[in-house]
Amino acid sequence: MVAIMTGMRTDSPTTRQPVRQLLAASVGNAVEWYDWYAYTFLATYIADQVFPESADDSLVPLLSTFAVFAVGFFMRPVGGLLMGAVADRRGRRAALTVTILLMGGSSLLVGLTPTYAAAGVLAPVVLVVARLLQGLSVGGEFAASTTFLVESAGPGRRGLFSSFQYVSTTAGQLVASGIATVLVDTLSEDRMNGWGWRVPFVLGAVLSLVGFWIRQGAQETRSAEQRRAPRPGLFEALRRHPRESLLIGGITAGGTLAYYTWTSYLPTYAELNTGLDKSDALLAGTLSLAFFGLLQPLGGMLSDRFGRRPLLLFFGVGFALLTVPLLHSLRDSFAVLLLVQCAGMILLTGFTSISAAVNAEIFPPRVRAAGIGFPYSLTVALFGGTAPYVGTLFKDLGHSGLFPWYVAVVCLLSSLVYLRLPETAHKELER
């Protein structure tokens, strides 16, 4: 009766359709990250229209700083906690539905944001609200989709299913980059400033509806026993599982710092420190991202066979030993940058391809989504989100050579956590 009233399918894990489950998580996740990265790629156009330098209102530069640099990452831990709680209380599918609708709504809001010339200070306020919703959605998406992916996997396939977290993230990033590039190359500067920058966000809202439709056909992964159990409190995971929460932070710190350094900041780092042409740096970044996406399922399958810990140590020790020589080897050369990026992507796959599985295997099902969502998103905000700023700060202080050491040390510290991590690849997932 409960299942009929909620519209929830109650099929056992063995009867689920794995392709449909993968598609439901992956398509939605790709749309989420498409919207997130579209803002990043088009931030300069948005700033010109919403935060003009000629604005007289003193709130405008403050809101500009807040919106561009802080809001999204600030809200991600909140989203991880709140949407994780929805996933643990109402079901994984319910949380996935909420996150994609939030992202679609916030994307449309960005696309319809008035210019400062038309609405004054209301324009940056609207954009800040949209970024708040985007951050909330992205933080919640990881908590819900991580849990959903791993719980959807059959025996011996959790690593493989886990890898699609970053396959879809990378796909969303590449599509956003491609659409932004096509618009910039085909439209005049006046058209880009007038309406061109809005197109990807309106498209993102439409894609969110497609993802919503696909997710409506997904099957709930919580067991019948979990659905009958009393609903967990908002902070129950932190209160009852403090060690596991800290463990998520230790596992994630090195991985998220390396990820944002290699996938987002490295082209800028090469420009700042070697004088490499911006277009060459961006092309190298795009090619290495495509290579990175293709590697993820291989990493997941290897972890299912040989265990999670060997891959995590491959990543952590590899970055601890090779970050400094790799970054110091950069020259004013497209080929060198591409090789450095691809080498890092191979190492990074040891973390990204299985992080969803590792996280899900740490917490019991009752608080799994919220238990993952908050500490993971908080660690990403502290280490991953700050990577470009720390690197730029070292450059401004005249010590750019210290940034590779910073990355190496954090990865070494995470490696110490991996050494003591129990092997969970071949154990049955608690449901």
Side-chain angles (χ1 to χ4, degrees):
M1 177 65 71
V2 173
I4 295 173
M5 292 175 63
T6 60
M8 181 187 299
R9 299 185 186 184
T10 57
D11 308 46
S12 68
T14 58
T15 64
R16 297 193 186 106
Q17 299 177 348
V19 174
R20 185 61 184 257
Q21 296 294 91
L22 275 178
L23 187 63
S26 300
V27 170
N29 194 49
V31 172
E32 294 267 354
W33 285 100
Y34 161 84
D35 288 335
W36 179 264
Y37 281 112
Y39 182 91
T40 302
F41 294 134
L42 297 168
T44 55
Y45 293 98
I46 298 170
D48 288 342
Q49 298 303 309
V50 182
F51 309 113
E53 295 179 1
S54 59
D56 296 326
D57 197 312
S58 61
L59 280 176
V60 172
L62 174 62
L63 286 170
S64 174
T65 302
F66 189 50
V68 176
F69 298 115
V71 169
F73 278 103
F74 170 77
M75 287 301 293
R76 285 173 68 167
V78 178
L81 180 64
L82 294 180
M83 292 299 102
V86 171
D88 289 332
R89 294 178 178 187
R90 300 286 184 177
R92 318 312 190 201
R93 194 183 69 167
L96 289 173
T97 300
V98 173
T99 58
I100 201 162
L101 289 177
L102 272 176
M103 183 57 79
S106 60
S107 183
L108 184 61
L109 191 58
V110 173
L112 299 179
T113 296
T115 63
Y116 184 82
V121 74
L122 178 63
V125 169
V126 170
L127 189 61
V128 167
V129 171
R131 286 294 281 172
L132 283 168
L133 293 175
Q134 279 189 326
L136 189 72
S137 175
V138 169
E141 174 68 18
F142 185 88
S145 64
T146 289
T147 308
F148 179 83
L149 271 172
V150 177
E151 289 179 347
S152 294
R157 302 181 72 185
R158 294 197 301 268
L160 174 61
F161 273 51
S162 168
S163 69
F164 280 84
Q165 184 79 35
Y166 277 90
V167 170
S168 54
T169 297
T170 303
Q173 187 172 356
L174 288 171
V175 171
S177 174
I179 290 176
T181 301
V182 169
L183 287 170
V184 171
D185 287 345
T186 57
L187 296 179
S188 66
E189 191 72 12
D190 287 342
R191 288 180 176 177
M192 274 302 300
N193 283 316
W195 55 267
W197 65 268
R198 301 179 185 274
V199 172
F201 300 104
V202 175
L203 178 60
V206 174
L207 292 174
S208 295
L209 293 178
V210 176
F212 170 76
W213 174 75
I214 292 174
R215 284 184 168 181
Q216 285 297 99
Q219 297 168 358
E220 178 56 51
T221 60
R222 285 194 312 165
S223 66
E225 181 181 353
Q226 287 300 317
R227 292 195 290 271
R228 290 192 297 266
R231 294 173 182 170
L234 184 62
F235 296 100
E236 184 171 325
L238 290 170
R239 188 176 66 253
R240 295 194 175 184
H241 304 277
R243 179 183 175 277
E244 288 83 354
S245 299
L246 289 173
L247 193 57
I248 294 287
I251 291 168
T252 305
T256 189
L257 176 58
Y259 175 77
Y260 278 94
T261 297
W262 242 255
T263 64
S264 300
Y265 181 57
L266 195 54
T268 302
Y269 180 87
E271 291 174 49
L272 291 174
N273 293 279
T274 70
L276 187 68
D277 181 73
K278 184 175 183 178
S279 61
D280 285 344
L282 290 176
L283 178 58
T286 301
L287 292 175
S288 63
L289 268 177
F291 174 65
F292 176 68
L294 294 173
L295 287 176
Q296 300 310 297
L298 175 61
M301 288 188 289
L302 286 173
S303 80
D304 284 332
R305 180 163 185 176
F306 300 108
R308 317 291 189 225
R309 191 163 51 188
L311 265 76
L312 289 172
L313 287 171
F314 169 75
F315 152 72
V317 176
F319 259 91
L321 295 177
L322 297 177
T323 298
V324 174
L326 282 173
L327 293 186
H328 283 177
S329 69
L330 289 173
R331 300 289 183 270
D332 184 6
S333 166
F334 168 81
V336 171
L337 175 58
L338 182 60
L339 287 173
V340 167
Q341 286 206 273
C342 288
M345 295 304 192
I346 293 171
L347 294 173
L348 189 56
T349 297
F351 170 79
T352 54
S353 64
I354 60 171
S355 63
V358 172
N359 291 338
E361 289 162 354
I362 288 175
F363 278 94
R366 175 178 168 80
V367 292
R368 182 170 287 145
I372 294 169
F374 181 72
Y376 174 87
S377 296
L378 180 61
T379 308
V380 169
L382 292 175
F383 290 93
T386 60
Y389 312 121
V390 172
T392 304
L393 177 62
F394 280 132
K395 175 66 175 178
D396 289 342
L397 295 175
H399 300 290
S400 58
L402 291 180
F403 180 70
W405 287 103
Y406 166 65
V407 177
V409 168
V410 175
C411 288
L412 178 61
L413 293 176
S414 282
S415 297
L416 298 178
V417 176
Y418 305 151
L419 275 173
R420 298 181 60 84
L421 195 65
E423 182 56 70
T424 54
H426 307 300
K427 295 180 179 179
E428 185 176 348
L429 184 69
E430 185 182 352
R431 297 183 184 274

